[in-house]
Amino acid sequence: PPAGRLRHLAFHSLGHTMFNYESVTVASILGTSLDAVFTIDEWGRIVDLNGAAVRMFGRTREEFLGSNISCII
């Protein structure tokens, strides 16, 4: 991903509540969350996501990567 801050968005399956996470232990969040988690760059492009996101939205990881987060919000 490009230099700069990344934002982490978690979409909770109940109510689709959105949270912003600053850079903390991203690998832990992505790997263990049952909720869909997307990591976006400063332009809103998806640079990482977890397996729950793939299952929840029914698209492949490759379809998401590089897409703008607006495609799911």
Side-chain angles (χ1 to χ4, degrees):
R5 288 186 112 156
L6 297 176
R7 293 186 182 192
H8 312 287
L9 301 176
F11 289 87
H12 291 263
S13 50
L14 297 174
H16 297 285
T17 306
M18 186 171 35
F19 294 91
N20 287 318
Y21 294 97
E22 291 302 326
S23 225
V24 279
T25 52
V26 177
S28 295
I29 293 169
L30 290 175
T32 61
S33 178
L34 298 177
D35 296 317
V37 179
F38 295 87
T39 303
I40 61 173
D41 64 16
E42 59 196 49
W43 298 282
R45 291 181 304 213
I46 299 170
V47 296
D48 204 359
L49 63 146
N50 67 351
V54 171
R55 289 186 298 279
M56 185 179 293
F57 290 94
R59 294 171 58 185
T60 66
R61 176 179 180 77
E62 290 73 27
E63 289 175 304
F64 277 118
L65 293 176
S67 298
N68 195 284
I69 194 70
S70 65
C71 73
I72 59 166
I73 295 180

